[in-house]
Structure formats: structure tokens, C-alpha cells
Amino acid sequence: MKGITKSGFPEGFLWGGAVAANQCEGAWLEDGKLPNVTDVMVGIIRDKDEPGLAWDAKTGKWTMSLYDNKTYLSHEAIDFYHHYKEDIALMKEMGFKAFRTSISWARIFPRGDEETPNEKGLEFYDRLIDELIAAGMEPVITLSHYETPLYLITEYGGWTNRQLIGFFERFARTVIQRYKGKVKYWMSFNEINNAFKIPLAAAGVIGKHPEKDSKPMDGVTEADIYQACHHMFVANSLAVKACRELDPEAKMGVMCSFSHLATYPLNCDPENVFGTMEFRRNAWFFTDVMCRGHYPAYIHRIWEEKNCGPVMEPGDEEILAAYTNDYIGFSYYRSAVYSASDEMKADTGGAVGVKNPFLTKCSPAPWCWPVDPKGFRYVCNELTDRYELPIFPVENGIGLDEKPDADGKLSDPDRVEYLEMHVRELKEAIADGCDVIGYLWWGPIDIVSAGTGELKKRYGFIYVDRNNDGEGTMARSKKESFDYFKALIESNGEINH
Ligand code: BGP
């Protein structure tokens, strides 16, 4: 195969890591930034912690109202905003070829609806992106990693409001223009296909007609979510258009959570097989629209039967058709098993169904995400077969609860094993014919968990001294996996043991 080196990976393969602004930067109100949606959430998993929003009957609007008895670790996070140089130097030491983060929308347009950007916010990303390039890394940028500015939700009602398309387009054009020639890989919305699972974080959807004591998600309907998704699809296409016009060398990808695609039927009972197909369509739906440029046939029946189809304006479908994405970015953590007689649940890692007796390893309790490297190869192949586009796993990793020993050492063999097993399967996927751009480890430095808002769930090769109560020095130190990943990158993916 063209350009493949003896390790099985192509030349120029983008090894590296990924984070999100809201999970690492901290400085949540610094230099003009205003809150984004995840700033009022402890973690994004619904029903665990209510978002800090209260209904103000006088104004008839939601307002920020943080809970005194909850810790919002993301507000300071790991203070990447001030530590980025030190952190990038450590990634450079590991030999990273790429680093993914998001440009926090609310740093650039603090409310979201301004005409002109916040220069101080842009200056931070000027420094960050230049630092990455100087360290030899390709910056991979997500436009919104669950980061809709909160004002757009409280004042405009979020993505169900069509006006957000224009606000997002302005944001996309501003940063694409600014980082033209510097950023080659963009992605529009992180895990857009989590819109149904976590509608507030992933699709900025909020209840519209709450009663006095109602909670932010009360009254949210499927129709609201499809409407928000339609607006996000158009906004995504306009971001693709902006990219083609402003920086034709750059690529605009989608970003989906594709652990969902690794959902297997419990057995060959046709009910389970067909149910699995339908369940997987919840994930396919998003790339079907964004990569093929039209709504798939199967969605029309759902819209009709549930009366939940979105309102579209003339010209929308033409925009979707004309501007499809250039590559598929995705996260993969785990697989799931579908049984028609059991309810499927979900967490940030993917779907949660019946226990798979063939998967004997999982991440530690309470998270217990089953480890399934073959599922990774399966997803890569499925995506390639369906869309024939380059694919880019931009999140893969394992969260562990760990502390340095008395000598300050941190041994993490489970992380090394997880990494090795997934890289091995990725190599197979490349041999299968998948066009894989790179491999980005999720959270190469410990950050705040998206799902639960903890710091105790650590993904890093680099340990950060801060705990769930927010205590610690913020000092960074290397775990044993640091050297393993370094060696893996140095050899372009050669597995040594
Ligand atoms: C994905 C998100 C990330 C992330 C990761 C791990 O869903 O894109 O933001 O954090 O999952 O999830 P968690 O942090 O809940 O362990």
C-alpha cells in the first residue's frame, strides 16, 4: 500500500492527543470570556447533576444559577490557559505530531451574537497555535466541543433557534480566516450524534415553556432535537463552505461518537439483529447527512410517525448537498450489546446494553467501560465501506483512578495495554484498506471528565496534581505510559511487546 512504512503505518501519520477547551483551560471568565453551556454543568450526563440554570418567571428566561453545594472543577480545570507552554513541551517530548483542542467559542464571541470578536480571546489561540506549530505539531481544531455560548441558550433558546446558524458561521469564518495556513484539520461539532443523549451539551437544546420549578430539560421533545440538529447540519455545511473559500488547503471534518457503531446484537434472533440495525442508525444518521449530503430514507418514516420532523427553509437541502465534510473524525472507547428486550442506556463513552461475556476487561468501577480493540477495527472498516472518506480517530483512551506512589512514581500498565491493543487493531484497519489520517489519544494530560465532571477519572500520560475537591498544586508529572507512547511514536507504531 502507498506510503506505508514497515511498522504498518503511513509516513506522516498524525500521532498525538486530544483535549477540549472546556475540560482543560480553566480561566472560565478570563480575558472577556463568558460562560458556555458546559460551564454550568458539573458533568454532561443527564440526570446525574442538574445544570446550574434557573427559570426566571419575571424575564421569562433561563438564567445562570450555579449550585453552592456542587464543585465545578472545569472552571479552573488544569489551568491549561496558563500552563499551555509547559504542557506542549511535554507533548513535544513524547514526539506528538498533532494536538487536538477546541477554540472556545465564548472566548471569541463571549455572548455569541456579537458582530466583532474578542481580540483577547483570539490572542490566546494565536499563542497556542504558534506554540503547537513551533513544537512540530499539526493543530487539529474543534469549533465547538459542547461549547455553545450560554447566552445563546438563555437569550435565544439555543440551537432550536435558526439565528444560531449565522452566529456559528461568523465564528467559523473568523477563526478559519485568522488561522489560515496554520490549521489544516478542523472539525465542526464534537460528537454531534450525542444530541439525543445529552441534548443540552451536544445540541444546545433547552425546555421552552417551563413551569415555575421545572428543570431545564423538562418538556424537551424529539422534534426540538431534530430541529436543533437540522440547524447544526446547515451550520456545519456553511463551515465547510467557509473553509473551502477561505483556506482551500484546509479540511473540515465531522466529529461523532462512534463507539455506538460497535453495537452488536445479543444473538441471531432477528429481533435483536434488526433492532441493532435500527439502533446503529441513530449514529449513522448524522454522518449520513453530513458526509452524503442528504437526509437518509429511513428518517422520513420516523418523522412522519412521531410527527417530529424539522422545519427547513428553501435552500437548506441544497446547502447540505453542496458542502459535505472532507473527513470523519470520531471517538471510540468501547462497544455494547443490543437486546430487544432490554433498554439501551448511554454514557459519554458510548452505548450501554447487555454485558458482553466475551469481553473480560473493562475500565475500573464505577465507570466499567468494556475494552474492545476489535470493535475499533470494526468501526474503522464500517465507516470506510459506507463513505469512502479519510477517517481520523481523534479520541481513544481509558480513564483510571490513580495516584503516584510514595516515590512519586505512577505505573499505569492498564493504559499501556489499552493503547497497544488499539494501535494493533488500527494497523489492521489500515491493512484492510482504511485511509487513516492519524491517531489521537484522548486526554494525554489528565483533564476534567466530560461525563462526570471529575478529575479522578484520569486518561493522561501526564499526571496533574489536582483532585475531585479541587485541591492540589497543579504540578505535572510523567506516568510510565509516557515513555511507552513516546517509543510508539518514534517507531511510527512499532509494537514492541
Ligand atoms: C467524549 C468527549 C470527551 C471526553 C470523552 C471521555 O464523549 O468528546 O469530551 O471527555 O468522551 O468521556 P469522560 O470524560 O466522560 O470519561
Side-chain angles (χ1 to χ4, degrees):
M1 207 183 297
K2 216 174 81 204
I4 302 284
T5 64
K6 77 172 188 357
S7 69
F9 287 90
E11 267 167 55
F13 191 73
L14 295 180
W15 298 98
V19 295
N22 73 89
Q23 291 172 257
C24 71
E25 284 178 4
W28 75 300
L29 296 175
E30 211 165 309
D31 290 336
K33 179 181 169 296
L34 290 176
N36 68 52
V37 63
T38 41
D39 288 332
V40 299
M41 301 170 95
V42 172
I44 56 177
I45 292 296
R46 194 172 169 182
D47 298 332
K48 268 209 173 146
D49 280 287
E50 283 297 338
L53 290 165
W55 181 251
D56 182 345
K58 272 200 215 112
T59 56
K61 286 175 187 168
W62 290 104
T63 53
M64 182 163 86
S65 167
L66 300 180
Y67 290 87
D68 294 336
N69 59 350
K70 289 184 181 169
T71 314
Y72 297 87
L73 286 174
S74 63
H75 293 181
E76 285 83 35
I78 59 157
D79 198 24
F80 182 75
Y81 196 74
H82 299 106
H83 287 251
Y84 70 92
K85 282 194 182 194
E86 174 191 347
D87 295 341
I88 291 168
L90 287 162
M91 316 286 171
K92 182 182 174 187
E93 203 182 318
M94 274 187 277
F96 276 28
K97 312 284 182 225
F99 183 76
R100 170 185 176 224
T101 189
S102 53
I103 291 185
S104 175
W105 186 355
R107 282 199 197 284
I108 311 303
F109 290 96
R111 289 194 319 256
D113 65 351
E114 297 89 340
E115 302 261 321
T116 48
N118 170 28
E119 192 53 31
K120 282 235 174 254
L122 285 166
E123 283 166 11
F124 169 68
Y125 292 104
D126 294 347
R127 295 193 294 274
L128 176 62
I129 288 170
D130 287 346
E131 191 76 19
L132 289 171
I133 293 170
M137 293 174 218
E138 196 75 69
V140 178
I141 302 293
T142 320
L143 288 170
S144 178
H145 194 120
Y146 303 146
E147 284 160 352
T148 304
L150 189 64
Y151 186 85
L152 295 184
I153 292 176
T154 56
E155 292 298 308
Y156 290 85
W159 275 100
T160 50
N161 185 334
R162 196 174 167 96
Q163 280 179 276
L164 265 74
I165 298 174
F167 299 144
F168 182 80
E169 188 188 1
R170 185 180 297 152
F171 165 54
R173 284 190 172 266
T174 302
V175 292
I176 294 169
Q177 179 64 41
R178 182 91 166 198
Y179 303 116
K180 185 182 159 129
K182 293 186 175 180
V183 173
K184 186 164 164 210
Y185 294 100
W186 296 92
M187 280 170 283
S188 49
F189 299 103
N190 182 65
E191 296 188 337
I192 183 172
N193 62 324
N194 276 344
F196 286 86
K197 187 167 85 182
I198 39 172
L200 181 58
V205 173
I206 196 158
K208 283 197 203 111
H209 306 290
E211 306 292 318
K212 187 169 150 288
D213 292 321
S214 57
K215 304 276 185 256
M217 300 318 286
D218 288 352
V220 168
T221 63
E222 273 190 79
D224 292 335
I225 301 175
Y226 278 114
Q227 188 63 61
C229 287
H230 178 69
H231 293 151
M232 291 170 86
F233 289 149
V234 175
N236 167 69
S237 283
L238 292 174
V240 174
K241 181 170 187 273
C243 200
R244 298 218 174 122
E245 288 171 4
L246 299 173
D247 191 1
E249 295 294 300
K251 313 251 172 252
M252 181 64 70
V254 300
M255 198 306 188
C256 285
S257 164
F258 277 145
S259 299
H260 296 73
L261 284 183
T263 298
Y264 314 129
L266 177 64
N267 52 33
C268 52
D269 176 347
E271 290 301 326
N272 290 334
V273 174
F274 195 83
T276 303
M277 184 200 70
E278 288 194 310
F279 183 80
R280 294 171 81 238
R281 277 179 174 166
N282 296 329
W284 287 128
F285 170 63
F286 292 81
T287 27
D288 282 352
V289 178
M290 296 189 289
C291 299
R292 300 201 294 208
H294 55 266
Y295 280 100
Y298 57 80
I299 205 65
H300 297 285
R301 176 173 187 176
I302 296 172
W303 287 347
E304 266 160 42
E305 289 183 357
K306 295 184 171 174
N307 190 24
C308 62
V311 176
M312 300 186 201
E313 284 200 355
D316 282 2
E317 285 175 298
E318 286 73 11
I319 290 173
L320 298 183
Y323 302 104
T324 56
N325 293 80
D326 302 309
Y327 70 96
I328 301 175
F330 68 100
S331 58
Y332 175 82
Y333 291 93
R334 51 176 291 165
S335 63
V337 176
Y338 176 92
S339 151
S341 51
D342 290 87
E343 194 201 340
M344 292 299 281
K345 297 206 175 96
D347 54 31
T348 31
V352 185
V354 181
K355 195 172 160 36
N356 187 334
F358 299 98
L359 299 181
T360 50
K361 287 181 201 287
C362 63
S363 70
W367 312 299
C368 307
W369 292 6
V371 175
D372 180 7
K374 184 71 90 190
F376 190 27
R377 178 176 172 190
Y378 173 64
V379 167
C380 291
N381 274 279
E382 288 273 88
L383 289 170
T384 301
D385 292 354
R386 193 163 178 126
Y387 303 114
E388 298 181 324
L389 283 173
I391 58 174
F392 197 173
V394 294
E395 287 188 26
N396 177 236
I398 184 165
L400 305 171
D401 179 7
E402 45 196 4
K403 277 196 198 77
D405 66 14
D407 303 324
K409 273 215 182 124
L410 219 150
S411 156
D412 51 349
D414 292 341
R415 181 168 293 110
V416 169
E417 190 189 33
Y418 183 99
L419 171 61
E420 181 187 303
M421 291 192 302
H422 285 77
V423 166
R424 206 186 283 281
E425 292 299 332
L426 187 61
K427 186 195 316 210
E428 292 302 324
I430 293 170
D432 294 334
C434 300
D435 179 1
V436 186
I437 297 170
Y439 172 82
L440 305 186
W441 180 262
W442 177 253
I445 179 166
D446 294 344
I447 53 176
V448 177
S449 155
T452 62
E454 300 172 278
L455 261 158
K456 174 172 143 172
K457 190 178 188 191
R458 298 171 182 275
Y459 286 84
F461 305 120
I462 300 160
Y463 182 83
V464 178
D465 180 24
R466 191 172 189 226
N467 66 20
N468 267 3
D469 298 319
E471 301 152 351
T473 60
M474 295 272 190
R476 278 62 168 153
S477 54
K478 298 173 193 171
K479 303 181 193 174
E480 270 180 16
S481 55
F482 185 100
D483 290 327
Y484 181 79
F485 198 40
K486 181 172 189 251
L488 192 73
I489 297 176
E490 239 162 40
S491 65
N492 198 27
E494 203 89 58
I495 312 258
N496 295 319
H497 59 281

